[in-house]
Coordinates of all heavy atoms in Angstrom, one line a residue:
P82 N -0.4 24.1 9.8 CA -0.2 25.6 9.6 C 1.0 25.8 8.7 O 1.9 25.0 8.5 CB 0.1 26.1 11.0 CG 0.6 24.9 11.8 CD 0.1 23.7 11.1
N110 N -2.1 17.8 9.2 CA -1.5 18.9 10.0 C 0.0 18.8 10.0 O 0.5 17.7 10.4 CB -2.1 18.8 11.4 CG -1.6 19.9 12.3 OD1 -0.4 19.8 12.7 ND2 -2.4 20.9 12.6
H111 N 0.7 19.8 9.6 CA 2.1 19.8 9.5 C 2.8 19.4 10.8 O 3.8 18.7 10.9 CB 2.6 21.1 9.0 CG 4.1 21.2 8.8 ND1 4.7 20.7 7.7 CD2 5.1 21.7 9.6 CE1 6.0 20.9 7.8 NE2 6.3 21.5 8.9
L112 N 2.3 20.0 11.9 CA 3.0 19.8 13.2 C 2.8 18.3 13.7 O 3.7 17.7 14.2 CB 2.4 20.7 14.3 CG 2.6 22.2 13.9 CD1 1.9 23.1 14.9 CD2 4.1 22.5 13.9
Q113 N 1.6 17.8 13.6 CA 1.3 16.5 14.0 C 2.2 15.5 13.1 O 2.8 14.6 13.6 CB -0.2 16.1 13.7 CG -0.6 14.7 14.2 CD -2.0 14.4 13.6 OE1 -2.6 15.1 12.8 NE2 -2.4 13.2 14.0
L116 N 5.9 14.6 14.0 CA 6.1 13.6 15.0 C 6.2 12.2 14.3 O 6.8 11.3 14.8 CB 4.9 13.6 16.0 CG 4.9 14.8 16.9 CD1 3.5 14.9 17.6 CD2 6.0 14.7 18.0
I133 N 5.2 11.6 25.0 CA 5.3 13.1 25.0 C 5.9 13.4 23.6 O 6.9 12.7 23.2 CB 6.1 13.6 26.1 CG1 5.5 13.5 27.5 CG2 6.6 15.1 25.9 CD1 4.3 14.4 27.7
G134 N 5.4 14.5 23.0 CA 6.0 14.9 21.7 C 6.5 16.3 21.9 O 5.8 17.2 22.4
L135 N 7.7 16.6 21.4 CA 8.2 18.0 21.4 C 8.5 18.3 19.9 O 9.3 17.7 19.2 CB 9.6 18.1 22.2 CG 10.3 19.4 22.0 CD1 9.5 20.5 22.8 CD2 11.7 19.4 22.5
V136 N 7.7 19.3 19.5 CA 7.8 19.8 18.1 C 8.5 21.1 18.1 O 8.0 22.1 18.6 CB 6.5 19.9 17.4 CG1 6.7 20.2 15.9 CG2 5.7 18.6 17.5
V137 N 9.8 21.2 17.6 CA 10.5 22.4 17.6 C 11.0 22.8 16.2 O 11.9 22.1 15.6 CB 11.7 22.4 18.5 CG1 11.5 23.1 19.8 CG2 12.3 21.0 18.8
S138 N 10.3 23.8 15.6 CA 10.6 24.1 14.2 C 10.9 25.6 14.1 O 11.0 26.3 15.1 CB 9.5 23.7 13.3 OG 8.4 24.4 13.6
G140 N 8.7 27.8 13.1 CA 7.5 28.5 13.4 C 6.8 28.1 14.7 O 5.9 28.7 15.2
H141 N 7.3 26.9 15.3 CA 6.5 26.4 16.4 C 7.5 25.7 17.5 O 8.5 25.2 17.2 CB 5.6 25.3 16.0 CG 4.3 25.8 15.3 ND1 3.2 26.0 16.0 CD2 4.1 26.3 14.1 CE1 2.3 26.6 15.2 NE2 2.9 26.8 14.0
T142 N 7.0 25.8 18.7 CA 7.6 25.1 19.8 C 6.5 24.6 20.7 O 5.8 25.3 21.4 CB 8.5 26.0 20.7 OG1 9.5 26.6 19.8 CG2 9.3 25.3 21.8
D143 N 6.1 23.3 20.5 CA 5.0 22.7 21.2 C 5.3 21.5 21.9 O 6.0 20.6 21.4 CB 3.9 22.4 20.2 CG 3.3 23.7 19.6 OD1 2.7 24.5 20.3 OD2 3.4 23.8 18.3
L144 N 4.7 21.3 23.1 CA 4.8 20.1 23.9 C 3.4 19.5 23.9 O 2.5 20.1 24.3 CB 5.2 20.4 25.3 CG 6.7 20.1 25.7 CD1 6.9 20.5 27.1 CD2 7.1 18.7 25.5
V145 N 3.3 18.2 23.5 CA 2.0 17.6 23.4 C 2.1 16.2 24.1 O 3.1 15.6 24.2 CB 1.5 17.4 22.0 CG1 1.3 18.7 21.3 CG2 2.5 16.5 21.1
L146 N 0.9 15.8 24.6 CA 0.8 14.4 25.1 C 0.0 13.6 24.1 O -1.1 14.0 23.7 CB 0.0 14.5 26.4 CG -0.4 13.1 27.1 CD1 0.9 12.4 27.5 CD2 -1.3 13.3 28.3
I153 N -4.4 13.7 20.6 CA -3.3 14.6 21.0 C -3.8 15.7 21.9 O -4.7 16.4 21.6 CB -2.5 15.2 19.8 CG1 -1.9 14.0 19.0 CG2 -1.5 16.2 20.2 CD1 -1.2 14.5 17.8
K154 N -3.1 15.9 23.1 CA -3.5 17.0 24.0 C -2.3 17.9 24.0 O -1.2 17.5 24.3 CB -3.7 16.4 25.4 CG -4.2 17.4 26.4 CD -4.5 16.6 27.7 CE -4.8 17.5 28.9 NZ -4.8 18.8 29.0
W155 N -2.6 19.2 23.8 CA -1.5 20.2 23.8 C -1.2 20.6 25.2 O -2.1 20.9 26.0 CB -2.0 21.4 23.0 CG -1.0 22.5 22.7 CD1 0.0 22.5 21.8 CD2 -0.9 23.7 23.4 NE1 0.7 23.7 21.9 CE2 0.1 24.5 22.9 CE3 -1.7 24.3 24.5 CZ2 0.5 25.7 23.3 CZ3 -1.3 25.6 25.0 CH2 -0.2 26.2 24.4
L156 N 0.0 20.5 25.6 CA 0.4 20.8 27.0 C 0.9 22.2 27.2 O 0.7 22.9 28.2 CB 1.5 19.9 27.5 CG 1.1 18.4 27.5 CD1 2.3 17.5 27.9 CD2 -0.1 18.1 28.3
G157 N 1.6 22.7 26.2 CA 2.2 24.1 26.2 C 3.0 24.4 25.0 O 3.2 23.5 24.2
G158 N 3.4 25.6 24.9 CA 4.1 26.0 23.7 C 4.7 27.4 23.9 O 4.6 28.0 25.0
T159 N 5.4 27.9 22.9 CA 6.0 29.2 23.1 C 5.0 30.3 23.2 O 3.9 30.3 22.5 CB 7.0 29.5 22.0 OG1 7.7 30.7 22.3 CG2 6.4 29.6 20.6
R160 N 5.3 31.3 24.0 CA 4.3 32.5 24.1 C 4.7 33.6 23.1 O 4.0 34.5 23.0 CB 4.4 33.0 25.5 CG 3.9 32.0 26.5 CD 3.6 32.7 27.8 NE 3.1 31.7 28.8 CZ 3.0 31.9 30.1 NH1 3.3 33.1 30.6 NH2 2.6 31.0 30.9
D162 N 8.4 33.9 20.4 CA 9.2 33.3 19.2 C 9.3 31.8 19.4 O 9.4 31.3 20.5 CB 10.6 33.9 19.2 CG 10.6 35.4 18.8 OD1 9.6 35.9 18.5 OD2 11.7 36.0 18.9
A163 N 9.4 31.1 18.3 CA 9.7 29.6 18.3 C 11.2 29.5 18.5 O 12.0 30.4 18.3 CB 9.2 29.0 17.0
A164 N 11.6 28.2 19.0 CA 13.0 28.0 19.2 C 13.8 28.2 17.9 O 14.9 28.8 17.9 CB 13.2 26.6 19.8
F213 N 4.2 24.3 31.0 CA 4.9 23.7 29.9 C 5.1 24.7 28.8 O 5.2 24.4 27.6 CB 4.3 22.4 29.4 CG 4.4 21.3 30.5 CD1 3.2 20.8 31.0 CD2 5.6 20.9 30.9 CE1 3.3 19.9 32.0 CE2 5.7 19.9 31.9 CZ 4.5 19.4 32.5
D214 N 5.1 26.0 29.1 CA 5.3 27.1 28.1 C 6.7 27.5 28.0 O 7.6 27.2 28.9 CB 4.4 28.3 28.5 CG 2.9 28.0 28.3 OD1 2.6 27.1 27.5 OD2 2.1 28.8 28.8
F215 N 7.0 28.1 26.9 CA 8.4 28.6 26.6 C 8.3 30.1 26.2 O 7.2 30.6 25.8 CB 9.0 27.8 25.4 CG 9.0 26.3 25.6 CD1 8.0 25.5 25.3 CD2 10.2 25.7 26.2 CE1 8.1 24.1 25.4 CE2 10.3 24.4 26.4 CZ 9.2 23.6 26.0
F217 N 11.1 32.7 24.0 CA 12.4 32.9 23.5 C 12.7 34.3 23.1 O 13.9 34.6 22.7 CB 12.7 31.9 22.4 CG 12.7 30.5 22.8 CD1 11.7 29.6 22.6 CD2 13.8 30.0 23.5 CE1 11.7 28.3 23.0 CE2 13.9 28.7 23.9 CZ 12.8 27.8 23.7
L257 N 14.7 23.6 26.5 CA 13.9 22.6 25.8 C 14.0 21.2 26.5 O 13.0 20.6 26.8 CB 14.4 22.4 24.3 CG 14.1 23.6 23.4 CD1 14.7 23.4 22.0 CD2 12.5 23.8 23.2
T261 N 10.9 19.5 28.8 CA 10.4 18.3 28.2 C 10.5 17.1 29.2 O 9.6 16.3 29.4 CB 11.1 18.0 26.9 OG1 11.0 19.1 26.1 CG2 10.6 16.8 26.2
L273 N 9.3 9.3 24.4 CA 9.5 10.7 24.1 C 9.8 10.8 22.7 O 10.8 10.2 22.2 CB 10.6 11.3 25.0 CG 11.0 12.7 24.6 CD1 9.8 13.7 24.7 CD2 12.1 13.2 25.5
L274 N 9.0 11.6 21.9 CA 9.3 11.8 20.5 C 9.7 13.2 20.2 O 9.0 14.1 20.5 CB 8.0 11.5 19.7 CG 7.1 10.4 20.1 CD1 5.8 10.3 19.3 CD2 7.8 9.1 20.0
L275 N 10.9 13.3 19.6 CA 11.4 14.7 19.2 C 11.1 14.8 17.7 O 11.1 13.9 16.9 CB 12.9 14.8 19.4 CG 13.4 14.5 20.8 CD1 14.9 14.9 20.9 CD2 12.6 15.3 21.9
A276 N 10.8 16.1 17.3 CA 10.5 16.3 15.9 C 10.7 17.8 15.6 O 10.6 18.7 16.4 CB 9.0 16.0 15.6
L335 N -4.1 26.5 11.3 CA -4.6 25.3 11.9 C -3.7 24.7 13.0 O -2.6 24.4 12.7 CB -4.7 24.3 10.7 CG -5.9 23.4 10.6 CD1 -7.2 24.2 10.7 CD2 -5.8 22.6 9.3
E336 N -4.2 24.5 14.2 CA -3.4 24.0 15.2 C -3.7 22.5 15.4 O -4.7 22.0 15.0 CB -3.6 24.8 16.5 CG -3.3 26.2 16.4 CD -1.8 26.5 16.0 OE1 -0.9 25.7 16.3 OE2 -1.6 27.5 15.4
I337 N -2.8 21.8 16.2 CA -2.9 20.4 16.3 C -4.3 19.9 16.7 O -4.9 19.2 16.0 CB -1.8 19.8 17.2 CG1 -0.4 19.9 16.6 CG2 -2.1 18.3 17.5 CD1 0.7 19.3 17.4

Side-chain angles (χ1 to χ4, degrees):
N110 176 288
H111 181 81
L112 301 174
Q113 183 194 6
L116 292 165
I133 290 290
L135 172 72
V136 186
V137 259
S138 67
H141 284 264
T142 304
D143 290 300
L144 258 178
V145 297
L146 173 64
I153 297 182
K154 185 177 173 351
W155 186 80
L156 302 178
T159 184
R160 294 194 182 169
D162 292 354
F213 296 114
D214 284 345
F215 303 89
F217 293 104
L257 290 174
T261 305
L273 168 61
L274 319 178
L275 304 187
L335 219 53
E336 299 302 331
I337 290 185

